[in-house]
C-alpha cells in the first residue's frame, strides 16, 4: 500500500513507521520535517499536502497538541489548543483524505486512554479524545457505503513518554510505542471500521 503517515517524526509515529514501513510504501509528513510538510491547523496546508501526494491507500495520523492544566485556572484560549490542533486537525485531515483514497482505503486517527479514564489536569485531553472517537463512529457510517474505512487508536501513556507525561498518569500501566503501533497495522491492514482500538 501507499500510506501517508502524518506525525511520522514523533515517538508514536516513528514506531508506526517501523511497523508499517516493512510492508508498505510510506510517505512521511510532519510540520517541519519528513518527505512532505503539513500544518493540520491550516486548511490550505492540508489541501496542498494532498495535491502533492495524490491518491493513497491509507492515511494515518499520530499527531496533535493538547492543553494540560488545572480546570480552575484554564482559559478558553488554552482549551482551544486541543480543539484546533488534535481534534480539528485530525478532522480536517479526514475531510480532505476521503477524496484522495483508493477504493478500500482507510483512515486511522489517534485519541488516547483519557477519553475513558480521566486524569488530573486533563479536561481538555478527555474532551478532545472523546470527540475524536465520536467523530470516527459517525464518519464510518458515511464512509463505508463508499468503500472506505476509518478507525481510531487509543493508546495508554507510552513508556517512551513517561519522562514528560508520567506524572499525569499515576498507577497507569504504560505501553511501548511498538505495542501501540500494532493497532495501527490492524486498522490499516484489517477490515473493521468505526472502531476504537484500545491499547491499554
Amino acid at each position: 500500500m501507499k500510506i501517508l503517515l502524518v506525525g511520522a517524526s514523533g515517538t508514536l509515529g516513528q514506531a508506526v513507521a517501523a511497523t508499517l514501513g516493512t510492508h508498505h510504501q510510506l510517505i512521511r509528513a510532519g510540520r517541519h520535517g519528513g518527505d512532505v510538510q503539513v500544518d493540520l491547523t491550516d486548511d490550505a496546508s492540508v489541501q496542498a499536502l494532498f495535491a502533492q501526494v495524490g491518491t493513497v491507500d491509507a492515511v494515518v495520523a499520530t499527531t496533535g497538541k493538547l492543553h494540560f492544566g488545572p480546570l480552575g485556572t484554564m482559559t478558553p484560549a488554552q482549551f482551544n489548543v486541543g480543539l484546533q490542533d488534535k481534534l480539528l486537525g485530525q478532522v480536517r485531515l479526514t475531510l480532505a483524505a476521503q477524496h484522495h483514497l483508493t477504493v478500500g482505503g482507510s483512515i486511522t486517527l489517534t485519541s488516547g486512554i483519557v477519553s475513558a479514564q480521566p486524569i488530573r489536569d486533563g479536561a481538555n485531553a478527555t474532551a478532545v479524545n472523546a470527540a475524536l472517537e465520536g467523530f470516527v463512529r459517525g464518519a464510518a457510517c458515511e464512509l463505508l457505503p463508499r468503500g472506505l474505512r476509518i478507525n481510531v487508536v487509543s493508546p495508554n501513556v507510552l513508556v517512551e513518554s513517561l519522562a514528560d507525561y508520567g506524572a499525569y498518569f499515576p498507577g497507569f500501566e504504560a505501553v511501548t510505542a511498538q505495542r501501540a503501533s500494532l493497532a495501527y497495522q490492524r486498522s490499516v491492514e484489517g477490515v473493521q471500521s468505526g472502531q476504537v482500538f484500545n491499547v491499554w
Side-chain angles (χ1 to χ4, degrees), residues 49-89:
L49 171 68
F50 285 102
Q52 187 173 356
V53 303
T55 301
V56 295
D57 299 300
V59 174
V60 176
T62 59
T63 185
K65 292 182 181 177
L66 294 165
H67 172 73
F68 289 92
L71 190 70
T73 57
M74 190 179 299
T75 66
Q78 288 173 325
F79 193 87
N80 197 40
V81 169
L83 299 183
Q84 294 301 319
D85 199 300
K86 185 167 186 180
L87 176 55
L88 190 54

Side-chain angles (χ1 to χ4, degrees), residues 162-185:
L162 285 176
D164 295 322
Y165 296 104
Y168 290 112
F169 293 89
F172 284 69
E173 186 175 358
V175 301
T176 64
Q178 191 279 329
R179 180 186 164 201
S181 75
L182 297 177
Y184 293 86
Q185 181 181 19

Side-chain angles (χ1 to χ4, degrees), residues 143-159:
L143 291 174
L144 197 57
R146 295 161 51 194
L148 304 175
R149 299 183 299 108
I150 184 170
N151 297 297
V152 59
V153 176
S154 174
N156 203 333
V157 61
L158 300 179
V159 170

Side-chain angles (χ1 to χ4, degrees), residues 9 11 16 46 50 56 110 117 124 126 146 149 157 161 166 169 172 183:
S9 64
T11 301
V16 173
V46 174
F50 285 102
V56 295
T110 300
Q117 302 290 333
N124 181 241
T126 294
R146 295 161 51 194
R149 299 183 299 108
V157 61
S161 301
F169 293 89
F172 284 69

Side-chain angles (χ1 to χ4, degrees), residues 28 53 61 71 90-91 113 121 145 184:
R28 295 168 172 84
V53 303
L71 190 70
Q90 292 190 77
V91 169
I113 191 172
D121 295 343
Y184 293 86

